[in-house]
Amino acid sequence: MASQTGSIVQQSLNALLEDKSFLQNLQDDAREQAFTSLAAILSTPNHVHKSFLRVPLDSGKVVRVPSFRVQHNDTLGPYKGGIRFHESVNEDEVVNLAALMTLKNALHEVPFGGGKGGVVINPREFSVKELHSICKKYVQYFSDILGPDKDIPAPDVGTGDREMDWMMAEYKSIRPGKPYRGSFTGKSVVNGGSLGRREATGKGVFFTLRYMLHDFLKENSKWLSGNDNIFGKTALSVANRPLKIAVQGFGNVGSVAALEAYQCTYLQNKVVAVSDRNVTLYNSEGLNIPALVSFTSKNGGDLPTTVEQLAECDVKADIEDRDEVLYLDVDVLILAALEDQVHKDNVQQVKAPVIVEGANAPITGEADTYLSKKGVIIVPDILANAGGVIVSYFEWLQGRETQFYSEQEVFKLLFDKMKVTMDTILPQFFGDPFPLRQNCYIHAVMKLSTILYRQGKLY
Ligand code: GLU
């Protein structure tokens, strides 16, 4: 469960009230009142839609599958966010993740609100035909509330371009003659998806890390050595040397981030460990990531788990326990699996001074506080994994314009956008004692509050 999202929104709202620049033109009473209505807006979703999809199985049986679509806030534009297929999805989690999308879009100036969907299944237990049927039913049940100008889903945990293609096709047949291309993003390229969308989240994760620990530090190391910021000290301790990187999760986000790190030869980083639901693979000299990517693409997404399989793909590695990846002596740990991976019971074993959240909410609130007090830099989901929704926005635009960008153009637009956000946030972060997550949340909430105030909605 994405447990820390709600409390961080609360913490950020509190910090916002202390921030003198928040609605500074208002008198104390009016300011407090505006704040109270802002808090009410952001701490509650606009709509929670729930349905039990009736799905026929191959066996002839029919099952009811619980499913959700949460529309958190649409101040900045149509609701936007993925649909996850996972057996532990629940309403609270989807509400929290929808709120996270509102803030993520606000932080990166993406003109969308926040939404999220969930279907309570383990997709591995269903046949392709059954999954197709689940996707069609989801659209049938929720078609009234979805649409290119209302609410635009995308892939998330357990879904990908195949599911988005099926869903868009169903949406099109339910609403003949209406615009449909922008109803779903993360579609396959042949079906109107954007080049680069599949890699966008993982590439954005590595770009964020590289920009912060290399480009930004190079420009600002004098300033950072002069100030006494605890996080600045951590950054300087790993700056200007090749980094040892471990990646938890080798799916769409983790494998791409690992490959980016491997291919970024001018920095001489080493990806020393990767993991998935079965195993951690470790090699202190660095792993052959392209060989592992090609192995997983032929083996249902799973990393090699035996000496024979490692030999088969010509990878030298020690085979360790699945969770070992979290506790290694590395410079950077990229968490690209699921939520709540680092929690109060294992946080003391985590050694990495820099942690990047490729997944949404992989660190619980308690663990986050513990690590931040120690000076560990946590590059939060809202900042690091926004590549997916940013390129979703480009996909939506391309669908409108019916004109498509090259892969190079997409990545340039993506990195330019993430750079703008980081150039705003990083000087603030290294200049004050708040963790990066809180800085990002304050910035996003500030943006939303200014707009809501201008629209006359804070009263
Ligand atoms: N599911 C992704 C996220 O959590 C992408 C959402 C989107 O592209 O709309 O950011």
Side-chain angles (χ1 to χ4, degrees), residues 158-222:
T159 53
D161 58 0
R162 181 183 65 174
E163 286 73 17
M164 295 307 115
D165 285 356
W166 287 336
M167 288 191 179
M168 189 200 75
E170 187 62 15
Y171 185 83
K172 184 177 176 222
S173 43
I174 292 175
R175 308 192 163 240
K178 296 265 166 54
Y180 60 88
R181 251 199 205 98
S183 56
F184 290 83
T185 61
K187 305 179 294 290
S188 66
V189 173
V190 284
N191 193 33
S194 176
L195 287 165
R197 174 62 183 84
R198 190 187 67 75
E199 300 87 353
T201 311
K203 281 206 180 235
V205 165
F206 184 71
F207 175 79
T208 308
L209 175 68
R210 197 197 73 195
Y211 189 77
M212 178 168 163
L213 291 186
H214 189 258
D215 307 17
F216 182 84
L217 279 193
K218 218 161 127 193
E219 298 268 300
N220 293 283
S221 56
K222 237 199 206 138

Side-chain angles (χ1 to χ4, degrees), residues 21-259:
S21 60
F22 169 65
L23 300 179
Q24 54 191 337
N25 53 327
L26 296 184
Q27 297 301 317
D28 281 357
D29 281 1
R31 195 169 167 267
E32 215 168 306
Q33 207 172 322
F35 176 80
T36 311
S37 50
L38 174 71
I41 291 173
L42 292 183
S43 46
T44 329
N46 288 354
H47 308 283
V48 176
H49 305 276
K50 181 173 180 177
S51 284
F52 291 87
L53 313 178
R54 265 188 92 232
V55 181
L57 301 182
D58 297 345
S59 64
K61 261 176 59 185
V62 176
V63 286
R64 285 283 205 172
V65 177
S67 58
F68 307 93
R69 185 71 191 170
V70 173
Q71 299 176 321
H72 175 258
N73 185 277
D74 62 349
T75 301
L76 295 180
Y79 302 104
K80 183 89 191 82
I83 301 175
R84 60 175 51 189
F85 285 6
H86 197 272
E87 68 264 39
S88 66
V89 169
N90 59 65
E91 188 174 319
D92 277 356
E93 178 186 61
V94 185
V95 168
N96 281 327
L97 290 169
L100 184 64
M101 289 308 298
T102 301
L103 298 177
K104 201 184 286 186
N105 289 331
L107 175 68
H108 295 275
E109 311 256 338
V110 174
F112 290 135
K116 200 78 171 192
V119 177
V120 190
I121 55 162
N122 176 354
R124 288 176 188 268
E125 287 170 3
F126 290 81
S127 69
V128 171
K129 192 167 158 232
E130 290 164 344
L131 287 171
H132 187 195
S133 177
I134 290 170
C135 288
K136 288 202 295 189
K137 292 281 174 159
Y138 189 93
V139 177
Q140 288 164 18
Y141 279 58
F142 294 117
S143 73
D144 282 350
I145 57 149
L146 300 176
D149 291 308
K150 283 191 199 165
D151 184 348
I152 308 138
D156 200 87
V157 174
T159 53
D161 58 0
R162 181 183 65 174
E163 286 73 17
M164 295 307 115
D165 285 356
W166 287 336
M167 288 191 179
M168 189 200 75
E170 187 62 15
Y171 185 83
K172 184 177 176 222
S173 43
I174 292 175
R175 308 192 163 240
K178 296 265 166 54
Y180 60 88
R181 251 199 205 98
S183 56
F184 290 83
T185 61
K187 305 179 294 290
S188 66
V189 173
V190 284
N191 193 33
S194 176
L195 287 165
R197 174 62 183 84
R198 190 187 67 75
E199 300 87 353
T201 311
K203 281 206 180 235
V205 165
F206 184 71
F207 175 79
T208 308
L209 175 68
R210 197 197 73 195
Y211 189 77
M212 178 168 163
L213 291 186
H214 189 258
D215 307 17
F216 182 84
L217 279 193
K218 218 161 127 193
E219 298 268 300
N220 293 283
S221 56
K222 237 199 206 138
W223 168 63
L224 277 176
S225 347
N227 82 10
D228 213 20
N229 185 289
I230 178 175
F231 301 113
K233 288 203 173 92
T234 304
L236 288 172
S237 75
V238 296
N240 304 320
R241 61 177 165 88
L243 302 174
K244 279 190 284 170
I245 301 175
V247 184
Q248 186 202 32
F250 208 68
N252 187 36
V253 181
S255 68
V256 174
L259 197 58

Side-chain angles (χ1 to χ4, degrees), residues 260-375:
E260 285 288 294
Y262 178 92
Q263 286 168 343
C264 185
T265 42
Y266 76 95
L267 289 182
Q268 297 168 332
N269 296 324
K270 278 187 186 140
V271 183
V272 296
V274 296
S275 77
D276 67 2
R277 66 200 172 104
N278 302 313
V279 76
T280 291
L281 299 176
Y282 177 77
N283 182 339
S284 60
E285 292 309 308
L287 292 162
N288 181 349
I289 301 297
L292 289 171
V293 169
S294 110
F295 181 90
T296 53
S297 68
K298 290 181 212 129
N299 288 278
D302 288 339
L303 287 167
T305 52
T306 61
V307 176
E308 293 73 31
Q309 285 182 329
L310 283 172
E312 188 191 310
C313 61
D314 202 21
V315 170
K316 288 189 184 55
D318 298 337
I319 300 169
E320 314 251 359
D321 194 53
R322 178 185 78 176
D323 291 339
E324 210 41 48
V325 70
L326 299 171
Y327 314 129
L328 297 168
D329 197 0
V330 290
D331 302 303
V332 178
L333 171 62
I334 297 177
L335 298 172
L338 277 173
E339 51 269 20
D340 292 351
Q341 297 302 295
V342 177
H343 44 77
K344 70 173 177 13
D345 299 325
N346 68 359
V347 64
Q348 293 181 357
Q349 289 162 261
V350 175
K351 298 189 193 77
V354 179
I355 305 180
V356 188
E357 295 187 331
N360 286 320
I363 305 178
T364 66
E366 272 167 313
D368 187 88
T369 309
Y370 175 89
L371 292 167
S372 298
K373 276 196 183 131
K374 267 180 46 181

